[in-house]
Amino acid sequence: TPTLPANDILGLDADLLDEERMLRDTVRAFVQRELLPDVPQWFEDGELPRELAQRFGELGLLGMHLEGYGCAGASPTAYGLVCAELEAGDTGLRSLVSVQGSLVMFPIHRFGSEEQKQEWLPRMATGEALGCFGLTEPDAGSDPGSMRTTARRDGSDWILNGTKMWITTGSIADVAIVWAKTEDGIRGFLVPRGTPGFTTQDIHHKLSLRASVTSELLLDDVRLPASAELPGARGLGGPLTVLGEARLGIVFGANGAARACLEAAVEYARTRIQFGKPIGSFQLTQAKLAEMGARVAAGQLLALRLARMKEAGTLKPEHVSLGKYSNVSAALAVAREARTIMGANGITLEYPVMRHAANLETVLTYEGTHEVHSLVLGRALTGLNAFS
Ligand code: TGC
Ligand code: FAD
């Protein structure tokens, strides 16, 4: 019998608070019982049901790390653990919660007016209203400062023009946070669905993150009142601060996907017989599992450390970059290795490994690419800026 559990090799469970452990267990059971049976079909169909938002809302997961306005006020660690459990199911589940809680509710909470908070946060916490985050454009991905979307004044109103690309939840969102260039630099705007001139178009034929809606946002002379602007956000630092929140969830989430792949591979290796023995008894398979286990355990330790630093107020953006850089590429390597252990079965949706490997290609790219985070880390270590 195994002496180390694949899901917690280092016994980090003991370092969690009771409420963190309970929440983690609740979400783990919910994902396994209620969602995982349907995930392969959603992935195959390229969709994610809108109703999931309400179910996440009932569990208190939307904007869970925010205070007031119907939000749970949970710790960064609790938020991270939830992200890990959701992404152990599928990256699309974690993405929905990341976008809603970290990329939409957080900026309204941090930068919004009291009216904006009252209008959107309680309804978003329950999942009744959904939001999306529009930063990326067809010609501005890693370099959002080069965005072309503009917001110009017309009296007290704002007129927005431009295109946002690759926007998670875009076409099903009730409100989009759109980042646009004004005469005074970048600002954020709340653009409700149905505003004249604002349309969306879904992006199809994705081979990764299929259980997630991804859309283009088109803004053609969209007129907004002055009250649509986020008053507290000024400059590129606004959206980058917001990204810091979501990226911490990804540090945990990607590790959750890796853990799910490790667990599946261990189980398979113990039971699949070739040459008269379980394939897990071959040294080559054990070497693969050892490498995967080491990566998953190190990733869990890193994620927990970053969340505790956030709680202590010592977490810097470059720490978060290190976490995303390290845990996402490790998760992708683990998912691919798990796939080899499962042989042909590994390429199907019967097992989670190829689906996770495909999803993690997106995670490697969004919220700052692997390369961008290596350069943030390189800049922090050398004091020399590779971007400019
Ligand atoms: P730089 O000159 O370094 O900074 C401009 C201003 O921003 C401030 N800043 C930050 N503030 C908070 N947190 C951070 N992480 C920050 N990084 C920078 C900085 O202090 C400065 O402020 P100020 O007041 O001095 O003006 O900017 P740069 O042009 O050199 O770019 C830096 C770089 C490349 C790291 C940045 O542009 C970047 O992170 N690029 C990647 C873009 C990105 O991550 N896009 C993600 C789009 S959203 C998404 O993918 C959602 S997926 C959702 C899902 O489904 O889960
Ligand atoms: P580019 O920036 O063009 O990069 C292409 C390649 O060049 C990458 O390998 C990159 O690392 C490399 N590169 C770029 N600059 C440098 C450099 N200075 N040095 C070395 N290499 C460099 N965006 C949103 O705003 N909201 C969302 O909700 C959202 N959801 C997404 C969902 C999905 C499924 C996907 C795939 C993307 C999503 N994105 C979203 C967009 C995502 O953030 C961008 O794809 C990402 O920021 C990279 O931009 P890009 O794709 O334009 O690649």
Side-chain angles (χ1 to χ4, degrees), residues 167-200:
I167 307 306
T168 301
T169 317
S171 67
I172 56 172
D174 300 285
V175 65
I177 294 196
V178 172
W179 299 94
K181 252 183 193 159
T182 73
E183 275 183 350
D184 302 321
I186 291 169
R187 296 195 189 179
F189 297 88
L190 294 173
V191 187
R193 193 197 347 215
T195 306
F198 173 43
T199 52
T200 62

Side-chain angles (χ1 to χ4, degrees), residues 62-63 66-72 105 108-109 112-126:
L62 303 175
L66 304 176
E67 296 277 350
Y69 305 95
C71 304
M105 294 174 72
I108 294 173
H109 195 272
S113 65
E114 191 51 39
E115 293 71 36
Q116 290 167 343
K117 294 180 200 184
Q118 299 282 0
E119 181 179 1
W120 291 108
L121 294 178
R123 290 197 293 139
M124 288 192 155
T126 60

Side-chain angles (χ1 to χ4, degrees), residues 94-96 98-99 103 133 135-136 141-145 166 168 209 212 234-238 240-244 246-247 250 317-318 365-369 372-373 376 379 385 387-388:
R94 198 269 306 138
S95 272
L96 179 80
S98 284
V99 169
L103 295 184
F133 176 88
L135 179 65
T136 306
S142 297
D143 181 17
W166 301 110
T168 301
L209 202 62
S212 178
R234 290 287 177 273
L236 190 56
L240 292 181
T241 299
V242 175
L243 285 168
R247 287 167 178 168
I250 290 175
E318 42 271 43
T365 287
Y366 72 19
E367 303 252 13
T369 67
V372 159
H373 289 295
V376 170
R379 178 168 66 185
N385 189 353
F387 297 112
S388 57

Side-chain angles (χ1 to χ4, degrees), residues 15 38 64 79 84 151 211 275 280:
D15 290 17
D38 292 321
M64 61 179 280
Y79 171 63
F275 299 99

Side-chain angles (χ1 to χ4, degrees), residues 158-372:
W158 290 98
I159 311 287
L160 268 62
N161 278 288
T163 304
K164 296 291 174 180
M165 190 74 177
W166 301 110
I167 307 306
T168 301
T169 317
S171 67
I172 56 172
D174 300 285
V175 65
I177 294 196
V178 172
W179 299 94
K181 252 183 193 159
T182 73
E183 275 183 350
D184 302 321
I186 291 169
R187 296 195 189 179
F189 297 88
L190 294 173
V191 187
R193 193 197 347 215
T195 306
F198 173 43
T199 52
T200 62
Q201 212 168 333
D202 280 343
I203 296 171
H204 295 292
H205 311 299
K206 288 178 296 171
L207 297 175
S208 171
L209 202 62
R210 287 186 56 74
S212 178
V213 173
T214 314
S215 320
E216 197 176 355
L217 312 182
L218 303 139
L219 302 131
D220 183 11
D221 280 336
V222 174
R223 179 177 290 274
L224 298 171
S227 60
E229 186 205 338
L230 287 174
R234 290 287 177 273
L236 190 56
L240 292 181
T241 299
V242 175
L243 285 168
E245 295 291 306
R247 287 167 178 168
L248 182 63
I250 290 175
V251 175
F252 279 85
N255 183 263
R259 187 200 77 213
C261 291
L262 173 66
E263 289 186 270
V266 166
E267 171 65 19
Y268 194 88
R270 281 167 47 77
T271 51
R272 171 74 176 170
I273 310 286
Q274 289 294 286
F275 299 99
K277 296 199 313 190
I279 59 167
S281 65
F282 299 130
Q283 291 181 8
L284 286 176
T285 309
Q286 290 195 7
K288 289 180 184 180
L289 292 171
E291 177 67 19
M292 291 158 67
R295 284 178 186 262
V296 170
Q300 285 170 337
L301 203 51
L302 175 57
L304 188 58
R305 167 69 184 161
L306 295 187
R308 295 298 188 213
M309 286 174 83
K310 179 148 185 167
E311 285 157 17
T314 54
L315 187 73
K316 295 179 178 172
E318 42 271 43
H319 291 128
V320 180
S321 284
L322 184 157
K324 199 214 172 230
Y325 173 83
S326 183
N327 274 15
V328 179
S329 61
L332 186 53
V334 167
R336 287 174 177 158
E337 200 70 292
R339 212 292 301 155
T340 71
I341 289 174
M342 293 186 171
N345 280 322
I347 74 158
T348 69
L349 276 171
E350 288 287 308
Y351 293 90
V353 295
M354 183 100 175
R355 175 168 53 76
H356 280 306
N359 285 339
L360 288 162
E361 293 289 348
T362 284
V363 186
L364 197 68
T365 287
Y366 72 19
E367 303 252 13
T369 67
H370 188 64
E371 294 78 7
V372 159

